[in-house]
Amino acid sequence: MDFSQTVERISLKIKQKGQSVDSKKIEAKLRRLVEEFGVQPAEAERSVTNELAKEFNLTGIGTMGGGGAGTKEDRSIADIFPGEWVTIEGKVVSILSPPSPAIAQSGIIADATGAIRFVAWAKANAPKMTDGAWYRIESAVVDEFKGVANLKIHSGTAIKPIEEDRALIPSMVRIGELKPGIASVRAKVVQEWETTHERMLQSGILGDESGTVKFVIWKEAGKEKLAIGAVYTIFYVQVDEFNGRLSLNLSTASYIRDEGDIVVSGGDTEIRGTIVHIAPGSGLIKRCPVEGCNRALSRQNYCAVHEIQPKFVYDLRIKGWLDDGKKTYNMLLQRDVVESLAGMTLDAAKELAENNPLGMDEVFLRMRDAVLGRYVICRGREIDNRLLVRLCERLKMETGEHAALLNRAGGVP
Amino acid sequence: MSNGGTPSLPKRDGGFEREPARRVFAAELRECRHQFREGDDEKSPTFVLLPTGERCNRVFLVGTLTEKQRQGDQNIFYRGRVVDPTGTFFVMAGSYQPEAMQQLAKIETPAFVAVVGKPNIYQPPDGAYLVSVRVESITVVDRETRDLWVLDAARATLDRLDALAAGTAPDAARIKEHYPALDPAVFRKMAYESLAQVKI
């Protein structure tokens, strides 16, 4: 694991208080906590900062504990929770258009430990803050909105600009460790989806070594689409939770394209199991021919967006459940995978449908009889509990496995 | 059957989760005596407790369909016998499973079949127990699929037995309560004998 950013962040804090620490020493402390004791990186950073602060007898950095209601003591953004009165120092990293006239200004404010959304009520008469500037916000209230902590600036809150320009290195979070709130990530664009709303600029899947997550960008001035397959560093993205699933809203975020590549986890899940169900909508299907749409049409050639499309395009797919006896996976096989597994090409399926009284149903039935109840190995990407299958082959008998099982069963229990 | 579930509903994050199909030999399924439901909701799944220590809402089995029979006048349903190396599964499909019933009606016996279905315990008036499988789907398969299933079912049985012996079986407490006279060695022997019947 690379600790250089964290080390830099910690030594910067110490330097600001007029002390200096050997960065090797900081790294050694971090490495010990993370690698030897399995401490979460964010927690390790906090405890090393606290330890050094104690050593040099510094105040105002790290978390000193204590405080209580109405505290004037500075807090790090990562450590504040709903229901508290806090004083923080941070940099405004994003200004959002206020959703209601009752709100004078809203945006995101960050320090080295994290970031939080702030809301200044019109009634508070607070001075407007500018994007990119540092402020000290005294006696603000932390509350919760849609499960996410929010900093409320009310009439009793004091906002003081901080003149000096401090360096701010955002702490990056791995996708597998995201929580609702504001975070910065480095991720690769894995997949792009058809947009489902006219106000939507782009949606899809982002991934890193630890997992994948949905993202959405809404149409707004200055927002650009992400390039598929490219790696981005995304600062201060809003992490929302809906139905227990996270998604990233990039409208608040700034993102820059990065060099290099990321091996996205879930890129190659392998599951051995049986196909226990073939869902309706499998087999030969019709797709909307409108450029970029590609939705499956109903029997009456109706597309949910583009209405009746008589000049549809045929396609093959199988939607179903793959079951290994312990867990069941929703799986989706696309045309080339279906052709090789079911032994029926798209052309053969079309011909069958056109020359058979049952039409497309006949293709479904034959495909079902050819694959249902069979043992297969599927390789593909697992996203949101659904397995997008890249390769699917019938499982073969292995004599070695048979012998091993005989030994296991015959051995003394 | 008894309904020994806890009153609170299990919380499911992320919505619906399909119950996996357990691999069970006929000789083990036949020994099931306890059926329970977790939670009071009408839709909460019913489980049959397998003697090797796992709850089971759905089974996957492969064997030879040796017999099938149409029954009933107004409510037509089909019964079938599917034979594996250890014994016989009783399967049935009624008008509530029209697709499964049509599939079963079409198959000529004997044939290797793969069945996905839900197990149920019945207790006829004479006091004996009958475990049958309500078919969700049934398809004709080849011998290799049958052999693969025997290996799969043997592996699953041994996994369950190992978990039971190690005390890590999720329903170990239920096993002690409902199958107190159980001898796990019987099922290990059953797995061994099934494997021995597979010719490679």
Side-chain angles (χ1 to χ4, degrees), chain B residues 8-152:
Chain B
S8 66
L9 264 173
K11 196 178 173 219
R12 285 250 164 89
D13 287 331
F16 168 78
E17 204 169 300
R18 186 181 156 109
E19 290 292 335
R22 307 293 184 196
R23 278 62 156 158
V24 189
F25 285 118
E28 180 179 359
L29 196 66
R30 192 182 58 202
E31 296 303 320
C32 291
R33 293 292 176 268
H34 178 59
Q35 196 162 354
F36 65 100
R37 172 179 278 184
E38 199 109 295
D40 288 336
D41 191 43
E42 195 185 329
K43 296 227 173 88
S44 45
T46 319
F47 297 97
V48 159
L49 184 64
L50 299 177
T52 49
E54 197 165 36
R55 60 182 65 191
C56 163
N57 165 265
R58 181 177 270 125
V59 288
F60 174 67
L61 57 100
V62 183
T64 313
L65 181 71
T66 54
E67 241 178 77
K68 63 166 184 186
Q69 203 174 9
R70 193 183 128 137
Q71 284 186 329
D73 292 323
Q74 255 136 32
N75 288 316
I76 299 168
F77 67 99
Y78 272 82
R79 270 184 206 286
R81 295 170 69 95
V82 178
V83 175
D84 82 350
T86 70
T88 306
F89 294 101
F90 300 95
V91 303
M92 54 179 292
S95 41
Y96 288 110
Q97 304 89 35
E99 205 188 323
M101 193 170 80
Q102 285 160 27
Q103 283 173 299
L104 181 52
K106 233 171 50 184
I107 299 172
E108 299 275 340
T109 57
F112 287 121
V113 290
V115 177
V116 179
K118 305 241 178 185
N120 271 297
I121 304 175
Y122 298 98
Q123 199 169 13
D126 66 1
Y129 287 90
L130 177 70
V131 183
S132 86
V133 176
R134 209 175 62 232
V135 179
E136 290 180 309
S137 78
I138 177 166
T139 36
V140 175
V141 296
D142 54 9
R143 186 185 190 99
E144 186 166 26
T145 303
R146 203 288 304 258
D147 290 347
L148 283 167
W149 178 82
V150 173
L151 264 62
D152 196 15

Side-chain angles (χ1 to χ4, degrees), chain A residues 88-102:
Chain A
I88 59 151
E89 288 185 5
K91 182 184 184 179
V92 175
V93 292
S94 174
I95 296 284
L96 310 170
S97 43
S100 138

Side-chain angles (χ1 to χ4, degrees), chain A residues 283-296:
Chain A
L284 188 63
I285 58 161
K286 299 168 181 174
R287 288 194 184 276
C288 178
V290 174
E291 173 110 21
C293 176
N294 215 29
R295 280 182 179 76

Side-chain angles (χ1 to χ4, degrees), chain A residues 239-255:
Chain A
V239 189
D240 295 321
E241 187 175 1
F242 182 68
N243 272 351
R245 284 189 191 145
L246 298 178
S247 79
L248 301 183
N249 180 348
L250 267 65
S251 299
T252 61
S254 54
Y255 36 92

